[in-house]
Amino acid sequence: MPPEQYAETVMKATAFACLYFTDEHDNPLQLRAVYSRIHPWQLAGGTMDPGERPWETALRECREETGIVFDGPAKLLASVFGQPGREWPYATIGFVFEGGRLTSGQIRSLTLDPAEHDEARVLPMPEWQKLMPRRDFARLEAVVEARRTGTAAFFDSWDWEDQ
């Protein structure tokens, strides 16, 4: 079978990459999306552009969404996979990289893109659990645990169904 014909038979997926930041007390930083009722709170990051590699995406999206120009090393905390569903017709593959700890001054100086996010919050995990869909919170827990243990997480149940 020719490669282009075979390519039509395989799974289609979109990919994202993001950076995981916390405050100095290890409380996660997330941004509230103005465009997504399904995933309202998100890490600084976004969808990969054609020709872009995951680390490049994480850096570009972080800069566009927060104004942070991150120059740390590429340290993978988690990979994410989700099956397609009613809300999105493709599988989703994601990469969550370590962003480090931000000072309160750095957090206050974030510059959000109002077309994408209208608020940045840093909260303890129990507070995030109240604000997030079950699977989104489980993904955040996996990222927190990956940072704590130093072992990258594989989170493969971030499906589009039953969010």
Side-chain angles (χ1 to χ4, degrees):
M1 179 183 300
E4 40 302 321
Q5 186 179 358
Y6 175 71
E8 292 303 315
T9 70
V10 299
M11 177 183 74
K12 306 297 185 270
T14 56
F16 71 89
C18 54
L19 287 167
Y20 173 68
F21 293 104
T22 63
D23 67 4
E24 295 168 309
H25 306 287
D26 288 332
N27 295 311
L29 167 73
Q30 294 198 94
L31 311 175
R32 186 170 61 191
V34 298
Y35 54 83
S36 178
R37 64 178 176 75
I38 294 172
H39 303 292
W41 290 98
Q42 304 174 355
L43 302 175
T47 304
M48 291 175 61
D49 285 344
E52 208 170 37
R53 297 180 186 276
W55 180 240
E56 294 168 336
T57 299
L59 297 178
R60 176 185 54 78
E61 286 282 346
C62 178
R63 184 182 64 255
E64 291 173 2
E65 292 180 353
T66 67
I68 295 172
V69 178
F70 188 73
D71 62 356
K75 179 181 177 187
L76 183 68
L77 288 178
S79 61
V80 179
F81 178 81
Q83 293 285 0
R86 288 185 309 273
E87 298 288 336
W88 189 249
Y90 301 111
T92 301
I93 299 169
F95 305 89
V96 181
F97 295 99
E98 171 67 70
R101 291 172 179 88
L102 301 175
T103 66
S104 56
Q106 288 173 308
I107 293 167
R108 281 192 307 275
S109 69
L110 295 177
T111 305
L112 302 182
D113 176 353
E116 293 195 45
H117 302 96
D118 63 358
E119 185 178 355
R121 285 190 195 178
V122 176
L123 297 171
M125 289 297 284
E127 295 300 313
W128 280 125
Q129 187 172 18
K130 296 174 190 176
L131 296 174
M132 299 175 72
R134 178 179 47 84
R135 285 199 182 120
D136 288 8
F137 183 73
R139 179 186 66 165
L140 181 60
E141 284 182 311
V143 171
V144 168
E145 183 68 4
R147 179 197 262 181
R148 188 186 71 73
T149 64
T151 301
F154 175 55
F155 188 74
D156 69 344
S157 57
W158 199 54
D159 300 343
W160 284 91
E161 298 294 340
D162 302 321
Q163 288 287 328

